[in-house]
Amino acid sequence: MGHGRAPLRTAAAGAVSAALIAGTVVGLAPAAQAAPAVRFVDITGDGGTVLKANVLTPAGADGTRDYPLVVLPTSWGLPQIEYLAQAQKLADSGYVVLTYNVRGFWQSGGQIEVAGPPDIADASKVIDWALAHTPADPQRVGMAGVSYGAGISLLAAAHDKRIKAVAALSGWADLIDSIYSGRTQHVQAAAVLDGAGTLTGRESPEVREIFDNLYASDLSKEQQMIDWGRKRSVGTYVDQLNSNGAAVMLANAWGDTVFPANQYAGFYEKLTGPKRLELRPGDHATAELTGLFGLPNDVWTDTERWFDHYLKGADNGIDREQPVQLKSRSAGGYEGYPDWKSVDATRRKVALAGSTTIHANVDSGADGGIVFLSSILDQVAQLPPIASMPLLPRRWAAVWQSERYGTAQQVRGTARLHTTLTPTKESGTFVAYLYDVGPLGIGKLVTHAPLSWHGRTPGEPFGVDLDLFSTAYDVPAGHRLALVVDTVDPLYTEHNPSGAQLTFSSPSDDPSYVSVPLREQ
């Protein structure tokens, strides 16, 4: 099957490359004499695997001086011309830029390893090649990428001391916490990745097995999957990364359905070197998308500023700005914070009183949306998933609401659910949703998160603490917050046996609540 798709991948890559190059040439026509030329090359990666790459050098390069180097590994499923518009901009401003198609995808050789050891070794081989064949300065090496390219860039910086600066856009720090948070398979996100990998690349047998085990919910393979993910998570190597001293910029979107913002925020707090965290509205890689077409884009502007300061030594002020920059999903510009802990330093609890029992196996209508589509709608039109609180069937959904707020509530950070749960079966799943509820009872989704468990004693209560996905959302004056819990969401795999029931209670000595982080006003 892999060989049968090879001509399709080759033809498609050629067509997309030609179209993008033609568009870039047309766009740069008035300055054609000064434009850096694109050179397509083959680079020998780890184990002799051929990596398809392209190189741009500054137009005035004549061999008399060296330039800082920026290496850009491609995103999952995208060809090597993905970053051409940004590469042109970087080369115009004095960088040697090398983009390469990661192994296993499109015309590059090898198999998809999901940022495994061969991918990390490839990054170092690419740097070796650039230092030997371009006017690149070995003391000024940076890496950047979107999604898969972001994850590989971070891992490479933890393993190669030559990398002095990284910009990791819509990437991951903890792979398992991204696709298996709360011991729950993020099945829609996994299917999108699996489908794109099957269409545009060649999965290794190990990767195929991981996907199959994820879909099958095979608990006997759970630890194997966790160990596999840890090897591919830069959080595992944070001490090495800190020791190497690379300046790390992290950027992600609040609604990222592949790599939720939580895992980046937690990782950011563990970094000890120069660092920056930017979180904006959008879904996976949508915040960076316009920049890939050469249009004005905040993420790519800050990426270049990051490299200008840490690779060129430019005094552009980025090191003096508040390192945590957030943009609300609702309105307004960027807000600066000295660290992530300061984002949700102020909290307000919503009590979850009483005892409520719900039946499993039926979708109540409260959902996290559709992968990519829902968060894109929220990004461009402020239309998150909605649900009517009065119409949610109480047989399948538990609903608690706050009082009506007299002033706007600016939710910033990570809401946390604390409750006591009594299941009737040993395994199960629930999904918690936090809604902004208007006067007519229509709720707009603020955030949510799933949780699954196994091996519990039926009928025996246990405490639950669940972090919902981090967000920034403004609840208008006159609205309420509502916490809704049900058991089925198309985004996730459900582990409730047929006929299961879940009882949520609030003992007097351990009351249930959702703790909501609020911006000080």
Side-chain angles (χ1 to χ4, degrees):
M1 180 178 287
H3 293 294
R5 288 193 304 272
L8 173 62
R9 281 192 295 268
T10 302
V16 174
S17 300
L20 250 136
I21 292 170
T24 303
V25 170
V26 170
L28 298 175
Q33 296 298 321
V38 182
R39 183 161 55 107
F40 290 88
V41 299
D42 289 351
I43 297 176
T44 302
D46 184 56
T49 297
V50 175
L51 305 174
K52 297 294 182 177
N54 59 67
V55 183
L56 291 89
T57 55
D62 58 7
T64 61
R65 56 168 289 196
D66 291 337
Y67 298 87
L69 168 68
V70 173
V71 175
L72 302 166
T74 53
S75 302
W76 185 273
L78 293 185
Q80 58 169 305
I81 41 73
E82 173 189 3
Y83 303 112
L84 188 57
Q86 289 301 322
Q88 290 276 10
K89 289 186 176 182
L90 288 166
D92 284 340
S93 62
Y95 290 90
V96 173
V97 187
L98 192 154
T99 293
Y100 72 97
N101 229 129
V102 291
R103 66 169 53 225
F105 284 102
W106 293 90
Q107 294 166 300
S108 284
Q111 297 178 318
I112 300 171
E113 301 287 347
V114 191
D119 291 298
I120 300 170
D122 283 346
S124 292
K125 293 284 189 180
V126 168
I127 294 172
D128 292 342
W129 187 95
L131 295 178
H133 295 89
T134 73
D137 185 345
Q139 303 303 315
R140 296 185 292 167
V141 177
M143 285 191 72
V146 176
S147 184
Y148 195 38
I152 290 175
S153 294
L154 285 170
L155 286 161
H159 289 83
D160 193 325
K161 294 182 179 180
R162 295 175 297 181
I163 300 170
K164 305 302 182 185
V166 174
L169 317 178
S170 291
W172 75 91
D174 187 328
L175 189 58
I176 294 302
D177 196 42
S178 296
I179 62 173
Y180 190 59
S181 68
R183 294 185 77 183
T184 308
Q185 295 93 326
H186 296 207
V187 67
Q188 277 193 19
V192 168
L193 294 174
D194 189 10
T198 301
L199 180 65
T200 64
R202 301 163 300 278
E203 295 174 344
S204 69
E206 182 183 31
V207 170
R208 183 67 262 155
E209 181 183 4
I210 290 294
F211 275 121
D212 289 344
N213 290 340
L214 186 74
Y215 299 142
S217 304
D218 187 347
L219 288 178
S220 70
K221 302 291 186 178
E222 183 181 40
Q223 190 59 49
Q224 175 188 338
M225 181 179 69
I226 291 172
D227 293 341
W228 174 89
R230 283 176 178 162
K231 186 183 295 185
R232 290 158 170 82
S233 299
V234 69
T236 303
Y237 313 102
V238 65
D239 291 341
Q240 291 176 220
L241 183 60
N242 287 332
S243 177
N244 289 350
V248 178
M249 172 180 154
L250 305 171
N252 208 341
W254 294 119
D256 195 319
T257 45
V258 180
F259 303 129
N262 292 43
Q263 44 90 37
Y264 249 13
F267 173 68
Y268 172 84
E269 285 293 275
K270 298 176 183 178
L271 295 173
T272 58
K275 58 183 180 178
R276 183 178 178 92
L277 175 65
E278 300 184 355
L279 295 170
R280 301 173 173 82
D283 204 313
H284 184 63
T286 63
E288 302 87 0
L289 185 60
T290 57
L292 295 178
F293 294 97
L295 300 174
N297 182 277
D298 290 352
V299 190
W300 287 104
T301 295
D302 287 347
T303 294
E304 186 168 349
R305 293 175 63 221
W306 192 253
F307 286 144
D308 283 350
H309 181 73
Y310 288 102
L311 296 183
K312 288 184 177 179
D315 185 15
N316 57 16
I318 197 168
D319 58 317
R320 296 189 295 274
E321 296 172 0
Q322 295 276 41
V324 176
Q325 294 286 322
L326 311 182
K327 188 173 185 180
S328 170
R329 290 163 46 204
S330 305
Y334 289 92
E335 305 162 1
Y337 299 84
D339 51 39
W340 178 252
K341 290 181 292 186
S342 301
V343 174
D344 58 5
T346 302
R347 290 185 164 270
R348 185 171 185 172
K349 290 182 179 179
V350 176
L352 310 179
S355 180
T356 302
T357 297
I358 61 173
H359 295 250
N361 313 123
V362 174
D363 190 341
S364 72
D367 287 323
I370 300 172
V371 65
F372 289 121
L373 177 61
S374 296
S375 291
I376 291 174
L377 284 173
D378 185 38
Q379 177 184 2
V380 301
Q382 295 182 18
L383 291 174
I386 63 172
S388 171
M389 297 301 109
L391 297 181
L392 286 175
R394 278 15 183 208
R395 179 179 176 84
W396 297 298
V399 181
W400 297 267
Q401 297 192 71
S402 74
E403 76 280 6
R404 186 175 286 110
Y405 296 114
T407 59
Q409 305 293 298
Q410 296 182 333
V411 179
R412 301 289 187 273
T414 308
R416 297 187 173 95
L417 168 64
H418 174 76
T419 190
T420 297
L421 172 62
T422 305
T424 59
K425 306 289 184 179
E426 67 171 16
S427 296
T429 300
F430 75 76
V431 185
Y433 309 89
L434 188 66
Y435 284 97
D436 158 26
V437 183
L440 299 179
I442 301 301
K444 294 183 177 181
L445 187 65
V446 177
T447 182
H448 76 285
L451 180 71
S452 297
W453 60 91
H454 303 281
R456 290 288 178 177
T457 302
E460 184 175 303
F462 61 93
V464 170
D465 289 286
L466 175 64
D467 282 359
L468 278 61
F469 299 138
S470 303
T471 194
Y473 182 97
D474 298 345
V475 178
H479 286 212
R480 306 172 186 267
L481 283 172
L483 184 84
V484 177
V485 177
D486 75 359
T487 64
V488 176
D489 189 308
L491 288 172
Y492 309 108
T493 297
E494 180 198 6
H495 295 278
N496 296 293
S498 179
Q501 298 179 32
L502 308 179
T503 298
F504 297 88
S505 57
S506 183
S508 59
D509 60 343
D510 186 20
S512 296
Y513 59 84
V514 58
S515 174
V516 181
L518 299 173
R519 183 188 183 196
E520 291 188 19
Q521 300 180 54

